[in-house]
Amino acid sequence: MSLVTAKPHTRTTAEKLQLGFLGAGWIGRHRMKALLDSGVAEAAAIAEVSEDCMREAATLAPKAAQVDSIDALIDENPDGIVIATPSAQHAEQALRALSCGIPVFCQKPLGCNHTEVGAVVAAARAADRLLDVDLSYRHTEAMRRIRPIVAGGGIGRVHTVDLVFHNAYGPDKPWFYDPALSGGGCVIDLGVHLVDIALWTLDFPKVKHVESHLSAGGKALGREQSTVEDFAIATLTLETGTIVRLACSWHLHTGKDAEIAATFYGMEGALALRNVDGSFYDFIAERYVGTSCERIASPPDDWGGRAAVHWAQQLARCKHYNPRADEFAEVASVLDRIYGRPVSTQ
Ligand SMILES: NC(=O)c1ccc[n+]([C@@H]2O[C@H](COP(=O)([O-])OP(=O)(O)OC[C@H]3O[C@@H](n4cnc5c(N)ncnc54)[C@H](O)[C@@H]3O)[C@@H](O)[C@H]2O)c1
């Protein structure tokens, strides 16, 4: 790879961020629209290998330069790069951007394993550049209400967290089912959100022990990585004594499109995020004390693009590394343990 000489550009505070978008498929275009609608950013350039997707993206950002590689995107000297390509490309592309001093917002997962994620986080730290990942459920109104109550001791000591994410359709694109392109199945696709929500809400206690069962088509999977898992259950024991139980799947007979829930059981109450009527988009939050139930968040809630907009707003203020990015490596390490992979010490 050649070293890139950046075009000189100094942004005034009144100017919008000029972003580069790498991958403009379904989520790439959704996040691009959210960023453009927020008024914080403009699309300086889009890199996309599919003509159809580029055409769709160009309707959102007609003035953006259209290119076909990350190097061409970097040549446009963007203030930051938004990555939304198939998952197994993320780590290498994020490393490439960061090596040129360009801040990154990446779709989850940031990498296929802890070694990859750790390398990206280390690169962001070394380059002193802002790095964020689209852990979008953190930004639902439901989780925004739940987390401070847990942190403030509002339900007492949390002894158990119960999480589910069943996507009854499974992904509709073939690359998700090829481990070389996706890095894994429902654990890396959906479980990443569950592990993140649990640890983030509890302020990232160490995970002492992990037990898991992964299967594909109803057959137990070992450590071989030639087939992606479509069902997983895992139990994490945290250093605090809290037990985190999670289940995630593709193509499960759930009787609805999706079942998504995160319940935090404390000594003095419980808090739950739950999707409404099988929706992928509508969530409520409830607070339970004994048999009583209080609704604390309800739809409508346009949360999907919030993580991206939050990153862009932060970037407009300061492009430097945020140490909270270390959390992405913690989550990746837990996913490795769920997969039964050797734990990387990087
Ligand atoms: N944060 C979330 O909640 C969330 C939700 C959905 C998807 N995702 C993640 O977003 C990513 C993309 O998912 P999707 O459903 O949009 O997939 P997609 O297949 O619709 O989009 C990927 C796009 O990347 C393009 N592409 C592939 N290689 C490229 C390259 N080298 N350079 C430029 N473009 C390239 C493809 O042509 C395609 O348009 C995945 O990693 C997925 O896990 C995250």
Side-chain angles (χ1 to χ4, degrees):
M1 272 183 203
S2 62
L3 270 179
V4 172
T5 313
K7 288 180 196 166
H9 171 75
T10 313
R11 201 174 51 83
T12 68
T13 45
E15 275 183 274
K16 291 183 181 183
L17 289 171
Q18 298 299 311
L19 297 180
F21 291 86
L22 180 63
W26 175 62
I27 207 78
R29 293 199 302 276
H30 183 278
R31 297 328 192 223
M32 184 190 300
K33 184 170 185 320
L35 283 160
L36 303 184
D37 287 351
S38 75
V40 180
E42 285 176 354
I46 302 166
E48 169 58 61
V49 294
S50 144
E51 281 180 22
D52 287 349
C53 290
M54 183 62 98
R55 203 173 307 113
E56 293 276 331
T59 64
L60 298 174
K63 291 187 191 151
Q66 299 182 12
V67 300
D68 62 2
S69 72
I70 184 166
D71 283 343
L73 199 60
I74 289 169
D75 277 341
E76 296 293 325
N77 190 29
D79 293 318
I81 287 185
V82 177
I83 300 174
T85 50
S87 304
Q89 298 186 36
H90 293 175
E92 190 183 339
Q93 292 167 338
L95 283 171
R96 179 81 187 111
L98 290 164
S99 73
C100 297
I102 301 175
V104 166
F105 180 76
C106 190
Q107 274 311 313
K108 61 79 192 163
L110 183 54
C112 294
N113 50 49
H114 179 255
T115 303
E116 286 191 6
V117 173
V120 178
V121 171
R125 197 186 301 116
D128 193 21
R129 287 295 178 267
L130 193 61
L131 168 69
D132 209 347
V133 176
D134 200 348
L135 293 162
S136 42
Y137 294 85
R138 289 186 184 192
H139 296 266
T140 56
E141 185 57 25
M143 286 314 302
R144 285 174 159 188
R145 296 297 308 272
I146 288 172
R147 188 170 182 257
I149 299 175
V150 171
I155 55 169
R157 186 180 74 79
V158 174
H159 55 83
T160 306
V161 185
D162 196 4
L163 308 137
V164 293
F165 199 149
H166 299 303
N167 173 348
Y169 298 108
D172 55 354
K173 288 137 219 166
W175 66 260
F176 274 93
Y177 299 90
D178 179 347
L181 303 178
S182 61
C186 62
V187 169
I188 204 156
D189 181 35
L190 309 175
V192 63
H193 287 300
L194 301 181
V195 171
D196 179 67
I197 280 179
L199 296 185
W200 173 73
T201 303
L202 300 175
D203 215 12
F204 280 87
K206 290 273 169 263
V207 178
K208 246 173 56 179
H209 183 71
V210 176
E211 195 189 326
S212 62
H213 301 273
L214 275 59
S215 58
K219 292 199 181 110
L221 283 177
R223 283 195 189 172
E224 78 277 10
Q225 311 246 314
S226 54
T227 309
V228 293
E229 74 287 354
D230 59 15
F231 185 85
I233 51 175
T235 306
L236 321 180
T237 308
L238 308 185
E239 64 178 355
T240 52
T242 303
I243 303 294
V244 178
R245 191 179 67 163
L246 67 89
C248 57
S249 72
W250 295 338
H251 306 293
L252 195 67
H253 298 284
T254 50
K256 46 180 137 23
D257 294 356
E259 189 180 335
I260 306 168
T263 310
F264 297 80
Y265 293 101
M267 300 301 290
E268 291 153 33
L271 291 155
L273 162 146
R274 286 197 292 111
N275 67 326
V276 182
D277 296 333
S279 169
F280 283 97
Y281 307 105
D282 291 335
F283 292 94
I284 56 168
E286 292 175 331
R287 184 177 189 149
Y288 312 131
V289 179
T291 54
S292 78
C293 169
E294 177 198 359
R295 178 81 61 91
I296 58 172
S298 301
D301 175 27
D302 191 11
W303 54 276
R306 272 190 200 134
V309 172
H310 177 258
W311 168 80
Q313 287 167 337
Q314 243 189 320
L315 180 58
R317 289 193 300 273
C318 170
K319 65 182 175 185
H320 298 296
Y321 183 69
N322 180 342
R324 292 215 70 152
D326 295 356
E327 295 168 358
F328 309 139
E330 290 289 320
V331 172
S333 164
V334 174
L335 295 191
D336 273 3
R337 292 163 77 183
I338 291 175
Y339 278 114
R341 297 170 182 153
V343 178
S344 129
T345 51
Q346 195 180 345

